[in-house]
C-alpha cells in the first residue's frame, strides 16, 4: 500500500469549520467525528463499569470460601461483566474508531448515512440503561453468563430475562446499523483513486468486520427471541420435553458467537498494521497477504462454532470437522504475526506508547492464540473445557489483544483527535503498569485452569488459594492502572499538552495525516485525489 | 462506485436532525415496556409495561413519520446526489441481507429439530438407551404431533389455504414488478393499476394468514405451545407475517406517493427499496412453504 496524495485537501476546509454548539451538537449530531467521540467516551465509561464488576468478582475470589457477596450476585456480576465488556466496551470502541478514522482514511467527507449513524449511537446508552435496570427487578438481574445458555436462561432464570432479551435486541439493531454504515461508507465513499487494494488495513479489517456483524447479529436476535418465547410464552426450542434441544441453543448462539469474537479482534489487526509500520519506519510487509488472511479468518469463523461445544456429546465426525477447521485458522493468523514481525525486521524502530502497546499486542495476542490452538484439540479440550484455562485464553486475546490495540489506537490518534500530544511519560507509565499487571492477572489463570478450577464459581478448593490471591492482586493493579489512561485522555481532551503537528509520527502513512491536528470539523468536502 | 462520482464538485452532507435520537428513545421505551409487559404477562400482574410499550410505539410512529417527511422533502427539493442514492441502495441491500440471516436462525432451528433433535429423542445415533429409558413410547416423526411430554396437536397441511397464499404472494411479486417496469417507462396509469393490485394481493395474503392462525388454534389444536413443530411453525410464519405487514405498509406509502406524483425513472429509491423488500418476503415465503408446509 502506498498512498500518495496529489491534491491533499483544499485550504478552505479550515475556514468553513463552523459547528453547532452546546448540547444539541451532541444530541442531534450527524458528524462522524462527533459520533466517533461519543462512541469512544461511551465505551470508556462502560470499560470502567464492566471493570469494576470484574473487581467485585476478583474481590470475592481473593480467598476461598464465601467472602463478600452471595453466589447469585456473583453470577450477576460475571454476566454483566461479560455483556458490558463485549457489547458496551470493545464493540463501541471499535465502532468509534471506525467513525473517526474510516472517512479520514478513505478521503470521505463523512459516513455514508450520517443520520442513521446518530441513531445507532444513541440506542447504545438507552440499551445499557435497560440492561443495567434489569439488576433491580425483583429476583435480581441476569445471572446466566454472557453466553446465556439454555436452560439457565430459560427454565432457571429470573424475570429480568425479558429485559435482557429486549436490551439485546436494540443493541443488536444498533450494531447492525453501525455496520451497514461502515460497509456502505467503504464501498461507496472512497476518494477517487482509493482502490480497494490501496485502502489502509484498518479500513480493510473493518470492512470485513462489518460484513461479519451484519451476518451474525440477526442470528443473535433470533436466538434471544427463542429464549424469550421459551421462558415466557411456552415454546420448547431448548427443551427436550417438547421436542427441542438445549444443545440447539449452543449451536445458534455460537454461530453468532464465534464470528462475534473475530468482530472483536479483526479491527485490532488493522490498528496494529497501521502502528507497527509507522514506528518501524518501513511499509507494512505483505499488505496483500494481510488482506487475504483477514478474509480467510472471517470466512473460517463461520465454520468453527461448535469448537465451543466439544463436551456436549456431538458425533465424533462433527468434533473432528470443527477441530480441523479451528486449527486451520492458525494459518492466516500466523501469516499476520509473521508479517508484523517482518515489518519490524531491520526497521528504524522507536518505542513511543502506541508502539509499545502494539508490540505487547503482538506478543500477548500470540500467547492467547496458542492457548486457543490447545483448546481447539478435541481430546484435550475435555480437560480444559469450562476451566480457568479458557478464561485465561480469551482474556489474553480480548484484554491484552483487543483492549491493548484500542489503547494503542487511542495513543496513536489522540494527537489527531485533540490537537495536542498526549503526555508521553504518563503514557509509558500506563503501558508498563498495564503490561505487568495484565500478566499477573491472567497468566496464573492458565495454571489453576489446568489444575481443574472451574470458571464461574464463587468459591474454590483450598489448593487454588495462592494463585487466586495473586490473580486478584493483578486484577486490582490492572484496574487502577487504567486511571492513568483516564488522566492521559482527560489531559488531551482539555488541550493540555504540546501542540500536535498534522503528522506527529515520522513514519506514519495515510490520508488522516494530511489534514491538520485537530482534524477540522469537516474534512475532505472536496474529495482528495489518491494516486 | 466512488470513481463514477468524483467529477461532482462537492459531497452532500446531511444536516443535523432530531429524529434519530427520538428513534433511540422510542426503541428504548419499546424495549423497556415490552420487557416489563412480558414479566407482568407471565406473572399475571398489572403494571406499567403496556403503557410504556404503547408510548414507545407512538413515539416510533411519530419519528418515522417525521424522519421520512424530512427525507422526502429533501429528496424532492433536489438536495440529494447520485452518490447518496447509491449509499441508500447499498444500505437497503445490506439490511435485507441482515433480514435473511435473521430468518436463517429460525430455519436453522427448524432443520436442527427435524434432522437432529427429534430423531435423537427417538433413539437415533447413539441414543437408543436414553430414548428407551426416558420416553419409550415416543415416536420420532415430522411433523411432531406428539411431543415427548405428551402434548398433542394436528399438523397444518399444505393444500388449500397455504397453496392459495403461495400463489397470491408469488403473483403479487410479479404484479409489483410490472408496476416497477411501468414506473421506469413513465406509464403512470399502468403503474397505479398494478401497484393497487399488488396491495390488494398483499393484504389478502395477510387476511388469509390470519384466518389460518384461527383455523390452527380452533380446529387443529396447533398453538405456539404445541412443542417444537408448533414453535417453529408459528415463529417462522409469524415473523414472516410481520415482515409482510411491514412490506405492505411500505407499499401503501409508495402508493400514496405515486398518487401524489412522486418518483420517476431516475428518482425512485424508496419505490425500488420497497419493491426489493417485497420480493425478499416472497422468497422467504417460498422457503417457508417448502420447508414448513410441504416437507
Amino acid at each position: 500500500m502506498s498512498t500518495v496524495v496529489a491534491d491533499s485537501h483544499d485550504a478552505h476546509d479550515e475556514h468553513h469549520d463552523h459547528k453547532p454548539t452546546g448540547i444539541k451538537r451532541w444530541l442531534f449530531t450527524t458528524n462522524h467525528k462527533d459520533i466517533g467521540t461519543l462512541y469512544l467516551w461511551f465505551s470508556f465509561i462502560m470499560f470502567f463499569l464492566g471493570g469494576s464488576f470484574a473487581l467485585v468478582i476478583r474481590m470475592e475470589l481473593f480467598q476461598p470460601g464465601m467472602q463478600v457477596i452471595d453466589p447469585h450476585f456473583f453470577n450477576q456480576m460475571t454476566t454483566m461483566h461479560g455483556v458490558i465488556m463485549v457489547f458496551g466496551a470493545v464493540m463501541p470502541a471499535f465502532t468509534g474508531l471506525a467513525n473517526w478514522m474510516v472517512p479520514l482514511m478513505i478521503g470521505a467527507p463523512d459516513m455514508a448515512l450520517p443520520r442513521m449513524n446518530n441513531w445507532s449511537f444513541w440506542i447504545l446508552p438507552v440499551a445499557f440503561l435497560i440492561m443495567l435496570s434489569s439488576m433491580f427487578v425483583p429476583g435480581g438481574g441476569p445471572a446466566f453468563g454472557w453466553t446465556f445458555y439454555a436452560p439457565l436462561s430459560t427454565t432457571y432464570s429470573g424475570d429480568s430475562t425479558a429485559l435482557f432479551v429486549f436490551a439485546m435486541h436494540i443493541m443488536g439493531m444498533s450494531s447492525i446499523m453501525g455496520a451497514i454504515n461502515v460497509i456502505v461508507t467503504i464501498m461507496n465513499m472512497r476518494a477517487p483513486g482509493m482502490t480497494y487494494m490501496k485502502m489502509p488495513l484498518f479500513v480493510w479489517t473493518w470492512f470485513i468486520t462489518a460484513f461479519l456483524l451484519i451476518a451474525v447479529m440477526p442470528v443473535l436476535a433470533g436466538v434471544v427471541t427463542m429464549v424469550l418465547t421459551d421462558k415466557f410464552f411456552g415454546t420448547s426450542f431448548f427443551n427436550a420435553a417438547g421436542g427441542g434441544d438445549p444443545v440447539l441453543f449452543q449451536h445458534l448462539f455460537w454461530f453468532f458467537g464465534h464470528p462475534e469474537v473475530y468482530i472483536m479482534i479483526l479491527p485490532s489487526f488493522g490498528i496494529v498494521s497501521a502502528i507497527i509500520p509507522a514506528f518501524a519506519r518501513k511499509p507494512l510487509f505483505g499488505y496483500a497477504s494481510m488482506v487475504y488472511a483477514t478474509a480467510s479468518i472471517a470466512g473460517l469463523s463461520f465454520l468453527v462454532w461448535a469448537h465451543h461445544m466439544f463436551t456436549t456429546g456431538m458425533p465424533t465426525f462433527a468434533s473432528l470437522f470443527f477441530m480441523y477447521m479451528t486449527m486451520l485458522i492458525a494459518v492466516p493468523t500466523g501469516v499476520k504475526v509473521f508479517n508484523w514481525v517482518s515489518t519490524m525486521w531491520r526497521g528504524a524502530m522507536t518505542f513511543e506508547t502506541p508502539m509499545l502497546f502494539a508490540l505487547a499486542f503482538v506478543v500477548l495476542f500470540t500467547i492467547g492464540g496458542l492457548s486457543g490452538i490447545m483448546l481447539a484439540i478435541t481430546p484435550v479440550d475435555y480437560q480444559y473445557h469450562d476451566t480457568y484455562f479458557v478464561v485465561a485464553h480469551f482474556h489474553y486475546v480480548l484484554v491484552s489483544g483487543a483492549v491493548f490495540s484500542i489503547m494503542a489506537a487511542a495513543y496513536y490518534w489522540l494527537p489527531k483527535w485533540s490537537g495536542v500530544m498526549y503526555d508521553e511519560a504518563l503514557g509509558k507509565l500506563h503501558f508498563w503498569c498495564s503490561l505487568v499487571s495484565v500478566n499477573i492477572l491472567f497468566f496464573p489463570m492458565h495454571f489453576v485452569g489446568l489444575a481443574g478450577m472451574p470458571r464461574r464459581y464463587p468459591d474454590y478448593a483450598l489448593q487454588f488459594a495462592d494463585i487466586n490471591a495473586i490473580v486478584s492482586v493483578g486484577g486490582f493493579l490492572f484496574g487502577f492502572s487504567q486511571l492513568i489512561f483516564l488522566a492521559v485522555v482527560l489531559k488531551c481532551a482539555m488541550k493540555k499538552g504540546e501542540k500536535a503537528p498534522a503528522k506527529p509520527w515520522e513514519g506514519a502513512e495515510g490520508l488522516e495525516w494530511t489534514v491538520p491536528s485537530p482534524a477540522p470539523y469537516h474534512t475532505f468536502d472536496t474529495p482528495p485525489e489518491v494516486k | 462506485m466512488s470513481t463514477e462520482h468524483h467529477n461532482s464538485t462537492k459531497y452532500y452532507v446531511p444536516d443535523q436532525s432530531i429524529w434519530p435520537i427520538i428513534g433511540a428513545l422510542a426503541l428504548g421505551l419499546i424495549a423497556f415496556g415490552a420487557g416489563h409487559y412480558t414479566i407482568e404477562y407471565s406473572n399475571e400482574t398489572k403494571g406499567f409495561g403496556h403503557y410504556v410499550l404503547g408510548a414507545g410505539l407512538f413515539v416510533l410512529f411519530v419519528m418515522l413519520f417525521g424522519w421520512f417527511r424530512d427525507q422526502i422533502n429533501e429528496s424532492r427539493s433536489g438536495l440529494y446526489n447520485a452518490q447518496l442514492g447509491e449509499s441508500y441502495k447499498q444500505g437497503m441491500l445490506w439490511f435485507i441481507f441482515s433480514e435473511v440471516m435473521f430468518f436463517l436462525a429460525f430455519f436453522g432451528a427448524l432443520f436442527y429439530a427435524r434432522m437432529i433433535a427429534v430423531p435423537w429423542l427417538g433413539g437415533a445415533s447413539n441414543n437408543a438407551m436414553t430414548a428407551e429409558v426416558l420416553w419409550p413410547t415416543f415416536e420420532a416423526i415430522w411433523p411432531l404431533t406428539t411431543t415427548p411430554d405428551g402434548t398433542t396437536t394436528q399438523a397444518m397441511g399444505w393444500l388449500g389455504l397455504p397453496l392459495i397464499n403461495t400463489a397470491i404472494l408469488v403473483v403479487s411479486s410479479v404484479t409489483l414488478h410490472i408496476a416497477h417496469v411501468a414506473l421506469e417507462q413513465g406509464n403512470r396509469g399502468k403503474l397505479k393499476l398494478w401497484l393497487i393490485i399488488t396491495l390488494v394481493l398483499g393484504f389478502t395474503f395477510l387476511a388469509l394468514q390470519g384466518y389460518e392462525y384461527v383455523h390452527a388454534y380452533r380446529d387443529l389444536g396447533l398453538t405456539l405451545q404445541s412443542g417444537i413443530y408448533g414453535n417453529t411453525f408459528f415463529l417462522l410464519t409469524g415473523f414472516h407475517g410481520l415482515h409482510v405487514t411491514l412490506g405492505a405498509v411500505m407499499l401503501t406509502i409508495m402508493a400514496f406517493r405515486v398518487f401524489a406524483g412522486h418518483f420517476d425513472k431516475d428518482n425512485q429509491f424508496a419505490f425500488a427499496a420497497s419493491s426489493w423488500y417485497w420480493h425478499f418476503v416472497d422468497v422467504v415465503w417460498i422457503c417457508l412453504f417448502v420447508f414448513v408446509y410441504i416437507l
Side-chain angles (χ1 to χ4, degrees), chain B residues 187-202:
Chain B
N187 189 339
R188 306 292 294 189
K190 199 174 157 196
L191 163 66
K192 286 173 189 166
L193 174 70
W194 289 98
L195 187 56
I196 294 294
I197 293 175
T198 308
L199 274 174
V200 170
L201 289 171

Side-chain angles (χ1 to χ4, degrees), chain B residues 69-229:
Chain B
R69 188 196 55 199
D70 287 1
Q71 203 78 6
I72 291 164
N73 288 340
E74 286 173 11
S75 165
R76 292 189 55 78
S77 56
L79 274 173
Y80 296 168
N81 59 20
Q83 187 176 32
L84 196 66
E86 184 64 31
S87 290
Y88 286 154
K89 276 185 199 164
Q90 290 182 6
M92 186 68 195
L93 290 175
W94 285 110
F95 169 64
I96 290 178
F97 172 61
S98 80
E99 294 273 44
V100 170
M101 295 306 291
F102 179 75
F103 277 99
L104 205 67
F106 290 93
F107 276 108
L110 173 71
F111 296 148
Y112 187 87
R114 290 187 57 165
M115 314 298 290
I116 297 177
V118 170
W120 283 7
L121 287 171
S125 186
N126 57 354
N127 302 290
M129 279 315 290
T130 320
E132 195 57 42
V133 172
L134 286 179
W135 294 297
T137 57
F138 175 71
E139 244 187 300
I141 47 163
W142 193 270
L144 185 66
T145 44
T146 309
T147 65
D149 66 0
T151 312
T152 56
T153 180
Q154 281 177 277
M156 179 70 74
W158 63 274
L159 285 164
L161 214 51
L163 187 63
I164 294 169
N165 255 348
T166 308
I168 289 174
L169 213 54
V170 171
V171 170
S172 78
S173 239
V174 177
T175 55
L176 183 60
H177 184 69
I178 296 172
H180 200 165
V181 172
L183 169 63
E184 306 231 304
Q185 291 165 345
N187 189 339
R188 306 292 294 189
K190 199 174 157 196
L191 163 66
K192 286 173 189 166
L193 174 70
W194 289 98
L195 187 56
I196 294 294
I197 293 175
T198 308
L199 274 174
V200 170
L201 289 171
F203 284 106
T204 312
F205 173 90
L206 282 173
L208 289 178
Q209 197 65 0
Y211 176 72
E212 188 190 65
Y213 275 22
V214 173
H215 171 62
Y217 264 77
R218 194 186 53 198
D219 307 329
L220 301 179
L222 177 61
T223 70
L224 184 63
Q225 287 86 16
S226 303
I228 193 71
Y229 173 65

Side-chain angles (χ1 to χ4, degrees), chain A residues 473-485:
Chain A
V473 169
F476 277 85
L477 286 176
F478 183 74
F480 283 93
S481 302
Q482 303 321 310
L483 294 174
I484 310 172
F485 186 38

Side-chain angles (χ1 to χ4, degrees), chain A residues 36 48-49 97 106 111 114 121 125 155 188 267 272 298 315 338 460 485 525:
Chain A
F48 277 108
L49 186 66
L97 290 172
I106 62 173
M111 298 292 279
F121 169 74
T155 314
N188 197 32
V272 171
F338 179 85
Y460 48 83
F485 186 38
D525 275 348

Side-chain angles (χ1 to χ4, degrees), chain A residues 111-162:
Chain A
M111 298 292 279
L113 305 160
R115 287 178 186 157
M116 194 171 80
N117 205 12
N118 176 302
W119 196 13
S120 61
F121 169 74
W122 280 109
I123 290 171
L124 274 183
V126 173
F128 274 93
L129 278 178
I130 296 171
M131 185 62 85
L132 291 169
S133 81
S134 74
M135 294 177 71
F136 301 98
V137 166
F144 30 66
W146 86 276
T147 52
F148 59 103
Y149 274 19
L152 284 176
S153 56
T154 53
T155 314
Y156 303 107
S157 66
D159 283 348
S160 57
T161 312

